[in-house]
Amino acid sequence: MKQLLAFFLFVCFAVTAAGHGKCLDRLPMPSNGGDSISVLRAVSAVGYPTDPVEQFKLGSRYYNGDGVAQDYSKAVYWFGKAAEQGLADAQYNLGVFYVAGWGVSQDYAKAAYWYGKAAEQVDADAQFNFGVCHFAGQGVPRDYAKAAYWYGKAAGQGHADAQKNLGYCYAAGLGVDLDYSQAVCWYRLAAEQGLADAQFNLGVCYYKGLGTSKDKAQAIYWFEKVAGQGGDNAKTALDEVKGQPSSYWNE
């Protein structure tokens, strides 16, 4: 019999920026309705901006190449100015830039520093990424307890990836006491948000009876959710689940 427990997934800390949260979602155009030209004129008329929000906007424009030539170095400069004044969005973005090496040399220690600053301001993406840093030992010493702590902070705000990773910590006993019932709880919250890895892991829990009773219908339900997103591993799991004799589910 295959051991599906080995399929527990924990895909979160690739060394690219994409592995550290939704970086592009956090580099938005300003939402105040001002167009690029009017903002840039205002900057040129009074000199460089000193307000952190305006500094962040200018950094965003250099990142996007909106009204100015795209220049990651200048984006980093202005995000840095805003970050030093305590703007959480800018602190988060600096972390992303240091992970990706955009406009700066790749530096995980600086990325972790700025993620930490934003995390302390209750920024869920930064909390998740700070947890990733601690779990992977990127820029900080590896510390599963701190990873679980920051995953928990982000998970409590509804961050699906953090919920999945916290579930994994409970399933593996990393940084927390091993507790499959807690793993099921967090996997479920992430699975309900459509996260395929969490859906798969939840299916494994129902199949193996980890933290919950064995439940063929629930196992199939969650594996089919993953299969519907193109997960080949779920198709293998479905074949195995459906092939189990009825006595298996009563053990």
Side-chain angles (χ1 to χ4, degrees):
M1 181 188 299
K2 298 175 183 176
Q3 294 298 311
L4 274 184
L5 184 58
F7 278 82
F8 266 105
L9 300 179
F10 187 62
V11 182
C12 72
F13 54 88
V15 296
T16 63
H20 278 252
K22 303 171 183 177
C23 56
L24 296 182
D25 293 342
R26 296 298 306 279
L27 294 164
M29 294 305 300
S31 58
N32 62 358
D35 64 82
S36 304
I37 299 301
S38 64
V39 172
L40 291 172
R41 284 176 179 168
V43 169
S44 63
V46 301
Y48 292 119
T50 57
D51 178 78
V53 173
E54 294 303 316
Q55 291 170 337
F56 178 84
K57 291 177 183 178
L58 188 54
S60 296
R61 284 180 164 75
Y62 277 116
Y63 170 77
N64 288 303
D66 179 61
V68 294
Q70 188 176 55
D71 190 323
Y72 288 162
S73 296
K74 290 181 180 178
V76 169
Y77 176 83
W78 288 110
F79 287 145
K81 289 291 186 182
E84 288 167 359
Q85 295 196 66
L87 190 68
D89 282 344
Q91 292 169 341
Y92 173 89
N93 283 0
L94 269 186
V96 172
F97 273 59
Y98 276 114
V99 168
W102 293 338
V104 291
S105 298
Q106 189 178 61
D107 190 324
Y108 289 121
K110 288 183 179 178
Y113 173 82
W114 288 113
Y115 284 150
K117 289 292 186 181
E120 290 169 357
Q121 296 197 65
V122 201
D123 183 294
D125 286 334
Q127 290 171 338
F128 169 73
N129 287 2
F130 202 35
V132 169
C133 291
H134 284 291
F135 192 97
Q138 290 183 341
V140 292
R142 188 186 300 271
D143 189 322
Y144 293 133
K146 288 183 179 178
Y149 173 83
W150 287 108
Y151 289 153
K153 289 291 188 181
Q157 296 194 67
H159 194 291
D161 285 315
Q163 291 169 340
K164 177 203 69 179
N165 285 8
L166 185 58
Y168 179 85
C169 287
Y170 277 112
L174 294 173
V176 292
D177 292 334
L178 189 148
D179 188 331
Y180 287 123
S181 63
Q182 281 293 311
V184 168
C185 173
W186 291 109
Y187 283 151
R188 185 185 307 282
L189 289 172
E192 289 172 348
Q193 294 195 62
L195 200 63
D197 291 346
Q199 292 172 340
F200 185 91
N201 287 0
L202 187 57
V204 171
C205 290
Y206 278 115
Y207 174 49
K208 303 294 290 187
L210 299 172
T212 184
S213 300
K214 291 180 181 179
D215 190 319
K216 182 178 182 179
Q218 282 293 307
I220 290 174
Y221 174 82
W222 289 111
F223 287 144
E224 285 183 339
K225 287 283 190 182
V226 182
Q229 297 188 56
D232 291 335
N233 57 340
K235 295 174 184 177
T236 301
L238 278 168
D239 289 340
E240 184 175 338
V241 169
K242 291 177 180 179
Q244 290 292 347
S246 58
S247 60
Y248 171 83
W249 302 100
N250 297 320
E251 292 177 356

